[in-house]
Amino acid sequence: MDTPPMPFSARLRAATQGAHAAAESQRYVSALVAGELDLAGYVDLVVQHHALYQALESAAGVMRDDPLAGGFVDDALTRLPALEADLSRLVGPDWASRTAPNPATVAYADRIRAVCGTSPVRFIAHHYTRYLGDLSGGLYIGRAVSRRYGLTDGSGVAFYAFDQITRPKAYKDAYRARLDALPMSAADEAALLDEVLVAYRHNMAVFSALARHVPDGPDATEAVA
């Protein structure tokens, strides 16, 4: 009896497992979860997230009616209002004039803008990388940050609260099933995989730049090297 082919989502997950592990093991991430950073070290992450989700969710507006990518656009995932509320709480109402993304984040956001408004499969790649990560390790990070900085009322950590998604695992399972059902060619699948790896490389560069907040940690140049 022939073995059924591995679903695309499983192949995608296997092919990017190393990149995912490398991103999760960045010194900044472990220091954040361990409570080793001061509040400024966390706030800087929120600033970077805002720039990235501004680019991604702008692209989502373009892709909402696309026959391939539109099924992934879900208002329950939208993070931008939560990030703006977090920045108002953490920095103040004038946060927009007092903060700016770092160069690594600008490069990441530029990549999102360059490909996500015109390529449905590359939009899906960035969408998948960010939101499934948010619904996985992101939830754990949110709980750790909330405890570390006394943000137990939810203000300042709204980014990590998906109020409309009560069962994250079921949501992720349905998301992967949607990936598996996509009518993609081999070239489409290769492009999607390639773009997920691009996203992980950009993500690691952002974490490397944030490593300046880690006590006795490397600066961005050393981290990238």
Side-chain angles (χ1 to χ4, degrees), residues 3 54 57 65 151 160 169 174 201-202 215:
T3 302
Q54 189 173 48
E57 291 176 4
D65 296 324
L151 302 171
Y160 299 100
K169 183 182 183 303
R201 288 196 293 272
H202 277 294

Side-chain angles (χ1 to χ4, degrees), residues 4 17 30 35 40 44 50 59 70 77 111-112 118 121 134 157 159 169 201 203 208 212 221 225:
Q17 188 172 12
S30 57
D44 203 2
H50 182 269
L77 293 171
R111 177 63 183 184
I112 291 171
T118 56
V121 294
D134 296 336
V157 288
F159 170 76
K169 183 182 183 303
R201 288 196 293 272
N203 203 36
S208 294
R212 67 189 181 87
T221 302

Side-chain angles (χ1 to χ4, degrees), residues 86-170:
D86 287 343
L87 287 167
S88 292
R89 161 68 173 81
L90 296 165
V91 180
D94 57 345
W95 61 267
S97 63
R98 294 174 55 193
T99 63
N102 63 45
T105 299
V106 171
Y108 190 174
D110 284 347
R111 177 63 183 184
I112 291 171
R113 280 189 287 268
V115 302
C116 288
T118 56
S119 171
V121 294
R122 292 186 185 274
F123 166 77
I124 293 168
H126 284 279
H127 194 276
Y128 164 88
T129 305
R130 293 242 54 101
Y131 293 116
L132 258 63
D134 296 336
L135 289 169
S136 299
L139 297 180
Y140 174 73
I141 291 173
R143 290 190 292 270
V145 167
S146 178
R147 291 192 301 269
R148 167 65 177 87
Y149 303 107
L151 302 171
T152 53
D153 63 351
S155 64
V157 288
F159 170 76
Y160 299 100
F162 289 84
D163 296 335
Q164 299 179 57
I165 300 176
T166 57
R167 298 169 59 211
K169 183 182 183 303

Side-chain angles (χ1 to χ4, degrees), residues 10 36 38 41 44 60 78 81 85 107 116 125-126 181 185 195 198 218-219 221 223:
E36 298 173 9
D38 60 16
D44 203 2
T78 302
C116 288
H126 284 279
S185 66
E195 197 64 31
V198 169
D219 63 19
T221 302

